[in-house]
Amino acid sequence: MKSLCLGPFLAASAPVGRRAYGGHLSRKCFQKQLHFHSRCVAFSSFICSATISVMPELEEKQVFDGEKANLLVKDLRKSFDSGMTKSYGWRVSQLEAIAKMLEEKEKEITEALYKDLGKPRLEAFITEISQAKSSCSEALKELKEWMKPEKVNTSITTYPSSAEIVPEPLGVVLVISTWNFPFLLSMDPVIGAISAGNAVVLKPSEISPATSSLLANLIEQYLDNSTIRVVEGAIPETSALLDQKWDKILYTGSARVGRIVMAAAAKHLTPVILELGGKCPAVVESDVNLQVTARRIIAGKWACNSGQACISVDYIITRKEFAPKLVDALKEELEQFFGKDPMESKDMSRIVSPNQFARLVNLLDEDKVSDKIVLGGQRDEKKLKIAPTIILGVPEDAMIMQEEIFGPIMPIVTVDNIEDCYSIIKSKPKPLAAYLFTNNEQLKKDYVDKISSGGMLINDAVIHVATRGLPFGGVEESGMGCYHGKFSFDSFSHRKSVLYRSFDADSTIRYPPYTPQKEKLLKALISGNIVQIILSLLGWS
């Protein structure tokens, strides 16, 4: 381990380690030399963890350590400094290669997502593959326009002159992705970084090993390896990467690890984008179309990676007298979606790992919660499945209301007046997304005005992230910075201010000696008062 104490943080939900790849070694050569054995390591303050081990005689030589990470960054910086990534041609060639990869390897991507998360084929396509295609397509279509300098008006004090804002790539950037949408949340920021003209290192999540391995293979096969690389691995590899000097880091994951990433970045004054999460509320008023509301909540919870999404509905707030009707509607629609026995449904993802499964079971089995389950609660440890579960009347001090659930469990909090939702939501860290279901226009305005969140959606859930014209990002505990579409390009670019002047009309007013007449004229110019300027030029007061 390096100086960063990443162990208990990055390992909080990692079941196994993965192989590392980077530096100047080819991936195939590196694989032949290594043979990894995974092991579990318990940490007293966290639920689960993992680390990576190698054969003792190879451990010192072959692990991806700080030295190899440093060589990797140097290689990429050399490629970036050559200027190749800045050209429109290079950017387009890499984006076209990604588009080709997405078309040719859709089956392999779908299979990897099923191995890691049991994602149904259609869900994998809609939530990951099609979104990556859309991102790539938009970048190819708009890139030339994004790269154009933006003209800016100049003032009379710099006359004659012109000015512009020139977007330029930051340099060598690091993308650390997460396991719940392991393909999309890897490729989407990489597409943005490439569009902006950067060299990129991608560190996929070891908790989704099939997708991580596939990404390493595909990026090596399709993209320019002198500028775009993948490093697989767990805690040691991530630590080695974070010890390096980057020009930007994008991390997707928990707020706990986000603090570690930010602390590492601060050592080099590296800017960061943190895409985190939080408890995303859905407030449901009694004036809604009940069937449509139930279906959309289900789509934003159980049909969204079995609730394992940072923007999925984490809990519901509704009126006490309306809650039974809402529960009945959810029950009815859940049966339509997943059948009478949802544990056998092929249309619902599984829990990612035994550790995550155990964490969710602990939340369900808490004394304050277990007797309030009104639907579901069944679990199968071998299949890593938990049935869609609804808990009615959850006390605020229950564990399930204190931490992000990230699973197929839905607490419903009841209130006497819907306006009471504001104090409940504000008592928790600002969420990544906040949802409201109502036909009341005043309630909509008040909700938008009073609730601060990364994003907000009225009368639906989750799908706001598919709107490319909207930035995706959090606020405070739920993250900082944003990306998606043009926002990705901007986030991985520096907007450089450029002022152009000629050698003509070089006024002496700015130069010493500072006479009273110069002072009057200069003040008039700065104020922009035309009358005073004319009077000053004429020598009048």
Side-chain angles (χ1 to χ4, degrees):
M1 282 292 291
K2 292 294 178 182
S3 58
L4 292 170
C5 184
L6 279 167
F9 294 92
L10 293 181
S13 56
V16 292
R18 292 293 298 166
R19 61 186 176 277
Y21 152 61
H24 59 277
L25 294 176
S26 73
R27 187 170 184 276
K28 292 179 180 177
C29 175
F30 199 71
Q31 283 180 313
K32 288 178 180 178
Q33 295 178 57
L34 290 181
H35 176 61
F36 285 97
H37 298 283
S38 58
R39 67 174 184 261
C40 292
V41 178
F43 287 93
S44 60
S45 57
F46 299 100
I47 296 164
C48 54
S49 61
T51 187
I52 191 168
S53 62
V54 297
M55 294 176 67
E57 64 270 20
L58 295 177
E59 186 168 4
E60 290 299 319
K61 294 182 179 179
Q62 302 302 335
V63 71
F64 184 87
D65 56 12
E67 183 180 352
K68 286 190 172 62
N70 183 259
L71 286 172
L72 170 61
V73 175
K74 282 184 177 179
D75 286 347
L76 293 180
R77 197 167 295 284
K78 183 177 180 181
S79 295
F80 175 78
D81 289 342
S82 73
M84 63 186 297
T85 67
K86 292 184 179 182
S87 72
Y88 175 76
W90 178 87
R91 303 184 203 194
V92 168
S93 70
Q94 299 309 299
L95 293 171
E96 288 176 341
I98 292 173
K100 182 181 179 184
M101 177 188 81
L102 292 170
E103 286 297 327
E104 294 180 349
K105 300 299 180 180
E106 182 177 318
K107 180 181 177 183
E108 288 85 345
I109 297 166
T110 303
E111 289 173 349
L113 292 171
Y114 185 80
K115 287 178 183 177
D116 286 331
L117 291 152
K119 279 196 180 183
R121 184 176 63 181
L122 185 57
E123 182 182 332
F125 178 79
I126 292 172
T127 62
E128 302 219 39
I129 299 169
S130 70
Q131 292 297 311
K133 286 183 176 182
S134 175
S135 179
C136 193
S137 175
E138 181 186 16
L140 282 167
K141 181 181 178 182
E142 302 292 343
L143 183 58
K144 192 167 287 187
E145 191 65 29
W146 293 348
M147 291 177 66
K148 285 182 180 178
E150 177 186 339
K151 296 297 181 183
V152 177
N153 292 329
T154 58
S155 68
I156 193 170
T157 57
T158 61
Y159 179 85
S161 64
S162 63
E164 62 185 8
I165 300 170
V166 179
E168 63 178 13
L170 293 170
V172 182
V173 302
L174 173 64
V175 174
I176 305 175
S177 65
T178 189
W179 54 263
N180 58 332
F181 293 88
F183 188 82
L184 175 65
L185 297 183
S186 294
M187 291 309 303
D188 203 342
V190 166
I191 288 167
I194 290 172
S195 300
N198 297 281
V200 190
V201 172
L202 169 64
K203 165 60 181 68
S205 173
E206 72 279 7
I207 304 174
S208 48
T211 307
S212 176
S213 179
L214 181 67
L215 282 164
N217 283 318
L218 294 183
I219 286 177
E220 182 183 30
Q221 179 182 344
Y222 280 86
L223 301 183
D224 175 10
N225 295 158
S226 70
T227 53
I228 306 163
R229 302 285 279 275
V230 175
V231 173
E232 292 190 86
I235 301 162
E237 292 75 18
T238 307
S239 298
L241 289 170
L242 286 174
D243 273 342
Q244 309 310 309
K245 168 70 175 104
W246 303 93
D247 296 295
K248 195 153 199 175
I249 298 172
L250 185 149
Y251 165 76
T252 304
S254 70
R256 185 175 62 240
V257 181
R259 289 179 169 85
I260 302 301
V261 172
M262 195 169 180
K267 294 179 181 179
H268 302 286
L269 293 180
T270 299
V272 297
I273 300 174
L274 300 178
E275 297 298 347
L276 308 176
K279 295 188 73 64
C280 301
V283 176
V284 182
E285 178 57 296
S286 56
D287 63 350
V288 297
N289 181 317
L290 194 51
Q291 182 185 41
V292 172
T293 297
R295 293 170 70 88
R296 290 179 178 178
I297 288 174
I298 294 168
K301 178 69 168 183
W302 295 282
C304 185
N305 199 26
S306 202
Q308 297 171 111
C310 54
I311 54 170
S312 74
V313 180
D314 189 274
Y315 65 102
I316 293 171
I317 303 174
T318 194
R319 292 178 187 270
K320 190 176 294 182
E321 68 271 15
F322 183 68
K325 293 181 181 179
L326 179 58
V327 170
D328 288 342
L330 288 168
K331 286 179 179 179
E332 183 179 338
E333 295 303 323
L334 279 166
E335 185 174 324
Q336 291 293 321
F337 278 38
F338 304 115
K340 291 185 180 296
D341 185 1
M343 299 291 283
E344 297 300 320
S345 174
K346 296 180 179 179
D347 294 320
M348 191 171 173
S349 305
R350 64 168 173 81
I351 307 305
V352 68
S353 71
N355 294 319
Q356 288 295 323
F357 181 89
R359 181 184 66 82
L360 291 167
V361 168
N362 284 339
L363 294 179
L364 277 177
D365 289 345
E366 186 182 8
D367 290 341
K368 299 174 183 179
V369 171
S370 58
D371 62 344
K372 293 179 173 60
I373 295 173
V374 295
L375 177 72
Q378 302 93 335
R379 69 288 301 261
D380 186 330
E381 189 172 2
K382 290 183 179 179
K383 293 181 179 180
L384 293 179
K385 280 206 167 188
I386 296 175
T389 301
I390 299 174
I391 308 167
L392 182 59
V394 185
E396 273 292 297
D397 60 348
M399 286 191 301
I400 205 164
M401 291 304 296
Q402 300 304 310
E403 64 179 72
E404 187 176 6
I405 296 170
F406 231 69
I409 307 166
M410 180 75 83
I412 298 180
V413 177
T414 59
V415 292
D416 293 323
N417 300 300
I418 205 67
E419 290 77 15
D420 294 338
C421 72
Y422 300 127
S423 60
I424 294 172
I425 297 170
K426 289 180 178 180
S427 70
K428 306 179 189 307
K430 294 180 180 180
L432 185 56
Y435 306 111
L436 170 68
F437 293 83
T438 185
N439 279 314
N440 186 317
E441 293 301 321
Q442 187 58 49
L443 181 57
K444 293 176 187 177
K445 291 178 183 178
D446 290 344
Y447 197 72
V448 171
D449 180 59
K450 293 180 179 181
I451 296 302
S452 178
S453 60
M456 187 171 285
L457 181 51
I458 309 297
N459 291 335
D460 211 327
V462 171
I463 62 170
H464 62 295
V465 298
T467 305
R468 286 284 154 184
L470 293 175
F472 174 68
V475 56
E476 292 185 358
E477 285 278 316
S478 58
M480 64 178 66
C482 64
Y483 70 112
H484 278 194
K486 175 65 159 54
F487 299 99
S488 294
F489 179 88
D490 290 341
S491 291
F492 285 107
S493 299
H494 166 60
R495 291 167 59 82
K496 181 167 63 180
S497 304
V498 182
L499 179 71
Y500 299 92
R501 296 203 70 203
S502 73
F503 290 110
D504 299 329
D506 188 43
S507 173
T508 60
I509 189 173
R510 61 185 286 200
Y511 305 123
Y514 300 122
T515 64
Q517 185 178 2
K518 283 184 179 181
E519 182 180 351
K520 290 177 183 177
L521 180 56
L522 188 60
K523 287 182 177 180
L525 287 169
I526 291 173
S527 69
N529 189 317
I530 299 298
V531 174
Q532 288 296 323
I533 292 172
I534 294 172
L535 291 175
S536 298
L537 288 170
L538 293 174
W540 298 345
S541 300

Short mmCIF file of all heavy atoms in Angstrom, two decimals, residues 147 235-236 406 431 433 464 507 540:
data_model
loop_
_atom_site.label_atom_id
_atom_site.label_comp_id
_atom_site.label_asym_id
_atom_site.label_seq_id
_atom_site.Cartn_x
_atom_site.Cartn_y
_atom_site.Cartn_z
N MET A 147 -15.62 22.28 -30.51
CA MET A 147 -14.21 22.66 -30.54
C MET A 147 -13.99 24.10 -31.00
O MET A 147 -12.90 24.64 -30.82
CB MET A 147 -13.43 21.71 -31.46
CG MET A 147 -13.28 20.31 -30.92
SD MET A 147 -12.42 19.20 -32.07
CE MET A 147 -10.77 19.94 -32.09
N ILE A 235 -7.57 -2.51 -4.61
CA ILE A 235 -7.05 -1.44 -3.77
C ILE A 235 -5.61 -1.04 -4.13
O ILE A 235 -5.33 0.15 -4.31
CB ILE A 235 -7.11 -1.85 -2.28
CG1 ILE A 235 -8.55 -2.14 -1.90
CG2 ILE A 235 -6.54 -0.76 -1.40
CD1 ILE A 235 -8.67 -2.94 -0.64
N PRO A 236 -4.66 -1.97 -4.28
CA PRO A 236 -3.28 -1.55 -4.58
C PRO A 236 -3.18 -0.78 -5.89
O PRO A 236 -2.46 0.22 -5.97
CB PRO A 236 -2.51 -2.88 -4.64
CG PRO A 236 -3.33 -3.83 -3.85
CD PRO A 236 -4.75 -3.43 -4.08
N PHE A 406 -29.54 1.15 -1.93
CA PHE A 406 -28.87 0.51 -3.06
C PHE A 406 -29.30 -0.95 -3.23
O PHE A 406 -28.49 -1.87 -3.35
CB PHE A 406 -27.35 0.59 -2.90
CG PHE A 406 -26.66 1.13 -4.13
CD1 PHE A 406 -26.82 2.45 -4.49
CD2 PHE A 406 -25.87 0.32 -4.93
CE1 PHE A 406 -26.20 2.97 -5.62
CE2 PHE A 406 -25.25 0.82 -6.06
CZ PHE A 406 -25.41 2.15 -6.42
N PRO A 431 -29.64 14.97 -1.96
CA PRO A 431 -29.62 13.77 -2.80
C PRO A 431 -29.14 14.04 -4.22
O PRO A 431 -29.13 15.19 -4.68
CB PRO A 431 -31.08 13.33 -2.80
CG PRO A 431 -31.84 14.61 -2.67
CD PRO A 431 -31.00 15.49 -1.79
N ALA A 433 -30.74 12.83 -6.81
CA ALA A 433 -31.98 13.08 -7.54
C ALA A 433 -33.13 13.17 -6.56
O ALA A 433 -33.13 12.51 -5.52
CB ALA A 433 -32.24 11.97 -8.56
N HIS A 464 -34.52 11.33 -16.42
CA HIS A 464 -33.92 12.64 -16.70
C HIS A 464 -32.46 12.52 -17.12
O HIS A 464 -31.95 13.38 -17.84
CB HIS A 464 -34.04 13.55 -15.47
CG HIS A 464 -33.33 13.06 -14.25
ND1 HIS A 464 -33.69 11.90 -13.59
CD2 HIS A 464 -32.28 13.57 -13.55
CE1 HIS A 464 -32.89 11.72 -12.55
NE2 HIS A 464 -32.02 12.71 -12.51
N SER A 507 -2.30 53.95 -27.65
CA SER A 507 -2.51 55.18 -26.90
C SER A 507 -1.51 55.30 -25.75
O SER A 507 -1.18 54.31 -25.09
CB SER A 507 -3.94 55.20 -26.35
OG SER A 507 -4.10 56.30 -25.49
N TRP A 540 -11.81 69.50 -21.81
CA TRP A 540 -12.79 70.20 -20.98
C TRP A 540 -13.09 69.37 -19.73
O TRP A 540 -13.05 68.16 -19.75
CB TRP A 540 -14.09 70.44 -21.76
CG TRP A 540 -13.88 71.32 -22.98
CD1 TRP A 540 -12.81 72.09 -23.26
CD2 TRP A 540 -14.81 71.47 -24.05
NE1 TRP A 540 -12.97 72.74 -24.46
CE2 TRP A 540 -14.23 72.38 -24.97
CE3 TRP A 540 -16.08 70.95 -24.33
CZ2 TRP A 540 -14.84 72.77 -26.14
CZ3 TRP A 540 -16.70 71.35 -25.48
CH2 TRP A 540 -16.09 72.25 -26.39
#
